[in-house]
């Protein structure tokens, strides 16, 4: 499969950004909500505001904790212990058959490049270091919504965030060997998306040191956020957190982990082999910088409508 026609602008390809600055299409209310959580970085004040938002959500959408099994509670306890301490925690490996089914489904699917062009992953130009599957491809992927809504993920998200979570991002991305950085996420950064959030990741290919393993700076989720999103240099990380603070996540296909993405992390450009990764973002509120167009899928009715409201309908 080679090149496919260029994707039309504004189509449901991947989650897109809304305009948050004055000009055509400016959304002032969304800008106010988004920048509010960027401005309040003082830990005590930020925590107090977050607690008020969480309390309001719990009043309108109380969690059904009675439905959670004892095993899920125990597994969630251990995950939260590590997540609270380090900012990142490994999960049990994702079902191998599910991972195989996902890869088989994606085998003939096109990805979207940064310029909007679609093509098969094996046909991407050598200068391309990142490409995403279209949102419609992702949401129709077998087992994906089951993974995103797994009892362990939802319970851990609920307890870490303090309320019933919102799935606010979802995607499957290829990272290819190269030299040119095409996305800010390929360098060290924090995700300034919501008052509190974390992400779940699954490797869909084997990831060794040459495949651009996810990097996380242990303990950085406990340090104050910054008003402006910016690239964070290696010198700063080593001086502030220590030379051994950067944790690479290595593992075979199916390796799963969660991370508080307000901590410092990176998805570096591979040096030898491509990496394919699934990610699901859980937050308290929608990410007001994104434009959501929930899609109707054959399995939409099977999942909690509140948790999934931004993604499926």
């Amino acid at each position: 499969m080679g090149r496919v026609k260029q994707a039309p602008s504004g189509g449901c390809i991947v989650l897109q950004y809304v305009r948050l600055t004055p000009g055509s299409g400016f959304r002032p209310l969304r800008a106010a909500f988004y920048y509010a959580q960027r401005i309040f970085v003082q830990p005590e004040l930020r925590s107090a505001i977050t607690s008020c938002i969480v309390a309001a959500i719990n009043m309108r959408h109380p969690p059904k904790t009675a439905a959670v099994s004892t095993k899920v509670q125990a597994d969630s306890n251990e995950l939260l212990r590590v997540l609270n301490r380090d900012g990142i925690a490994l999960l049990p490996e994702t079902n191998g058959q599910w991972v195989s089914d996902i890869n088989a489904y994606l085998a003939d699917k096109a990805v979207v490049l940064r310029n909007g062009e679609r093509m098969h992953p094996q046909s991407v130009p050598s200068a391309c270091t990142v490409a995403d599957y279209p949102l419609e491809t992702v949401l129709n992927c077998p087992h994906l919504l089951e993974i995103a809504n797994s009892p362990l993920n939802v319970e851990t998200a609920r307890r870490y965030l303090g309320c019933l979570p919102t799935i606010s991002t979802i995607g499957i991305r290829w990272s290819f060997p190269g030299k040119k950085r095409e996305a800010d996420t390929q360098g060290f950064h924090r995700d300034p998306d919501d008052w509190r959030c974390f992400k779940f990741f699954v490797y869909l290919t084997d990831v060794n040191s040459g495949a651009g393993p996810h990097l996380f700076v242990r303990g950085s989720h406990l340090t104050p956020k910054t008003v402006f999103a910016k690239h964070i240099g290696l010198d700063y990380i080593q001086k502030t957190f220590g030379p051994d603070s950067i944790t690479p996540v290595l593992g075979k296909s199916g390796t799963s982990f969660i991370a508080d993405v307000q901590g410092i992390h990176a998805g570096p450009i591979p040096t030898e082999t491509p990496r394919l990764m699934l990610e699901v973002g859980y937050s308290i509120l929608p990410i007001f910088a994104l434009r959501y167009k929930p899609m109707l899928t054959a399995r939409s009715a099977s999942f909690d409508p509140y948790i999934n409201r931004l993604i499926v309908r």
Side-chain angles (χ1 to χ4, degrees):
M1 180 178 178
R3 294 175 181 263
V4 187
K5 67 178 182 179
Q6 185 164 326
S9 60
C12 190
I13 306 304
V14 293
L15 292 173
Q16 299 176 345
Y17 287 94
V18 299
R19 179 159 189 159
L20 299 178
T21 55
S24 177
F26 175 46
R27 304 290 294 275
L29 187 59
R30 292 178 72 93
F33 283 130
Y34 177 70
Y35 286 116
Q37 60 86 22
R38 294 279 297 271
I39 291 170
F40 292 105
V41 296
Q42 202 277 338
E44 289 78 13
L45 180 57
R46 184 179 181 88
S47 178
I49 295 173
T50 302
S51 296
C52 291
I53 297 171
V54 164
I57 293 173
N58 282 326
M59 288 181 63
R60 296 196 61 182
H61 304 281
K64 303 178 180 67
T65 55
V68 181
S69 71
T70 302
K71 184 179 187 316
V72 167
Q73 290 179 4
D75 289 345
S76 182
N77 285 341
E78 178 58 20
L79 284 173
L80 288 166
R81 183 186 69 81
V82 178
L83 185 62
N84 281 311
R85 182 191 67 197
D86 297 337
I88 188 168
L90 287 173
L91 277 76
E93 192 171 285
T94 298
N95 183 301
Q97 185 59 55
W98 284 14
V99 173
S100 296
D101 291 345
I102 291 171
N103 279 312
Y105 166 81
L106 295 173
D108 62 349
K109 303 297 188 295
V111 292
V112 184
L113 307 189
R114 292 280 129 163
N115 63 4
E117 189 175 5
R118 293 194 187 201
M119 63 182 64
H120 190 273
Q122 294 183 353
S123 302
V124 299
S126 58
C128 174
T129 56
V130 62
D132 299 272
Y133 282 99
L135 188 58
E136 63 266 27
T137 297
V138 173
L139 293 181
N140 284 293
C141 188
H143 314 302
L144 186 138
L145 289 174
E146 285 83 359
I147 292 171
N149 288 273
S150 73
L152 181 57
N153 281 6
V154 170
E155 176 64 6
T156 303
R158 181 192 70 79
R159 294 176 62 188
Y160 193 71
L161 301 177
C163 60
L164 205 59
T166 289
I167 295 177
S168 51
T169 58
I170 192 165
I172 302 177
R173 169 174 290 181
W174 277 105
S175 296
F176 300 104
K179 297 180 180 179
K180 181 182 177 182
R181 184 181 295 170
E182 291 193 286
D184 292 339
T185 55
Q186 293 173 318
F188 282 106
H189 66 286
R190 299 180 189 264
D191 288 0
D193 293 336
D194 190 28
W195 294 96
R196 190 180 295 153
C197 54
F198 81 87
K199 287 185 178 179
F200 165 79
F201 301 91
V202 182
Y203 288 155
L204 299 176
T205 52
D206 294 347
V207 176
N208 57 22
S209 59
H214 184 91
L215 304 176
F216 191 90
V217 180
R218 293 190 313 276
S220 60
H221 66 303
L222 301 174
T223 56
K225 316 305 180 279
T226 56
V227 174
F228 300 104
K230 59 182 180 179
H231 173 72
I232 300 171
L234 187 59
D235 287 346
Y236 168 81
I237 292 171
Q238 293 179 335
K239 289 178 181 178
T240 305
F241 300 97
D244 299 322
S245 61
I246 299 175
T247 300
V249 181
L250 306 172
K252 293 185 176 296
S253 176
T255 297
S256 306
F257 57 100
I258 52 177
D260 183 331
V261 289
Q262 292 189 346
I264 300 171
H265 61 287
I269 300 172
T271 56
E272 298 174 3
T273 56
R275 181 195 72 198
L276 181 61
M277 186 164 73
L278 159 68
E279 80 170 47
V280 182
Y282 302 88
S283 56
I284 296 173
L285 297 171
I287 297 173
F288 290 103
L290 294 177
R291 178 184 295 111
Y292 294 104
K293 295 181 180 179
M295 297 179 61
L296 183 63
T297 74
R299 295 168 295 149
S300 296
S302 305
F303 305 102
D304 186 287
Y306 175 79
I307 294 173
N308 294 269
R309 69 193 185 282
L310 304 180
I311 306 300
V312 297
R313 57 182 173 84

